[in-house]
Amino acid sequence: MNICTFDHENDLNSTGAGIIASLLQSKPRSVLGLATGSSPVGIYRHLTDMHRRGLVSFAQASTVNLDEYVGLPEGHPESYRTFMNHHLFNHVDINPANTHVPDGNAADLKAECAAYDRLIDEIGPVDLQLLGIGHNGHIGFNEPGPRLVGGTHVVDLVERTRQANARFFSSIDEVPAQAITMGVASILKAKQILLVARGAEKAEIIHRALTGPITTECPASLLQCHPNVVVLLDREAGGLMS
């Protein structure tokens, strides 16, 4: 792993955006695996600025998002499709038809999961997968447990994950209890993985994921098996890595 720790947020964001932009410059038809949450927002902001300055184009790129809540109405402000439109897609020259997010309102969720796996196989492999990490070590919405599912699947969100996401809703009662998520096997098929973490509250799980035993009880620890992982941490998140 290439682990980088930054004293300044702007440096972390510009480094992450630079990695993605360099990929698009060298391979315009790249497939990007994208993430939501607070970790990638600054990176998306830098990418939109780079696009505005004519430094990067998404015109030939395709994207697949990690996950989506189950049951939020279309256009809900906290859906991950809305998040991606707001923070990236609406501000760059990507073809909306080439942006893919699981459908959390599909009539048949099992069929939707299977279709999403077929889509990834058809347009992939993913050239770069952007990841955050949950307080319990989840990546995507792959929660800790005695076993993990390889492909896209519906997951019951654990209470701690719902509590962590409650800040985006009026109350925890509004946080969906389920999500569709890419499986860990799908994530690990990406040619390169870019893991981003911020804040002192992530320091313990980052240390555990990157240096501890590889176990399904910490899904992010499986990233230790991948041959090409770049980790971007702010000083607080990397506080236990020295």
Side-chain angles (χ1 to χ4, degrees), residues 94-117:
I94 197 164
N95 181 348
N98 292 336
T99 65
H100 307 285
V101 180
D103 182 1
N105 289 305
D108 186 334
L109 293 175
K110 185 176 180 180
E112 171 64 13
C113 292
Y116 206 67
D117 282 337

Side-chain angles (χ1 to χ4, degrees), residues 101-239:
V101 180
D103 182 1
N105 289 305
D108 186 334
L109 293 175
K110 185 176 180 180
E112 171 64 13
C113 292
Y116 206 67
D117 282 337
R118 288 195 300 273
L119 169 72
I120 296 169
D121 287 340
E122 289 168 4
I123 69 172
V126 171
D127 292 289
L128 182 147
Q129 177 64 61
L130 181 60
L131 294 176
I133 183 173
H135 293 86
N136 59 4
H138 74 237
I139 48 177
F141 272 130
N142 292 281
E143 301 282 14
R147 63 184 181 87
L148 295 173
V149 179
T152 304
H153 60 287
V154 177
V155 61
D156 295 326
L157 301 181
V158 300
E159 190 65 16
R160 186 174 185 187
T161 297
R162 295 184 70 238
Q163 289 174 352
N165 290 354
R167 67 188 188 277
F168 301 116
F169 294 81
S170 298
S171 73
I172 192 170
D173 294 334
E174 295 184 7
V175 181
Q178 291 185 313
I180 297 179
T181 184
M182 244 191 245
V184 172
S186 298
I187 292 170
L188 293 177
K189 288 178 182 177
K191 295 179 181 178
Q192 182 179 23
I193 291 175
L194 181 59
L195 175 66
V196 180
R198 310 172 193 268
E201 69 277 6
K202 295 293 179 71
E204 182 177 355
I205 194 60
I206 279 290
H207 184 265
R208 181 180 166 199
L210 303 186
T211 68
I214 299 172
T215 169
T216 60
E217 296 296 339
C218 179
S221 68
L222 275 75
L223 297 177
Q224 295 180 47
C225 301
H226 195 280
N228 188 4
V229 178
V230 176
V231 184
L232 305 183
L233 308 172
D234 65 12
R235 187 60 60 185
E236 292 74 20

Side-chain angles (χ1 to χ4, degrees), residues 51-71:
H51 174 260
R52 188 163 48 247
R53 291 185 285 138
L55 299 177
V56 66
S57 172
F58 292 76
Q60 299 180 62
S62 298
T63 68
V64 287
N65 261 71
L66 283 168
D67 42 32
E68 177 62 282
Y69 287 120
V70 169

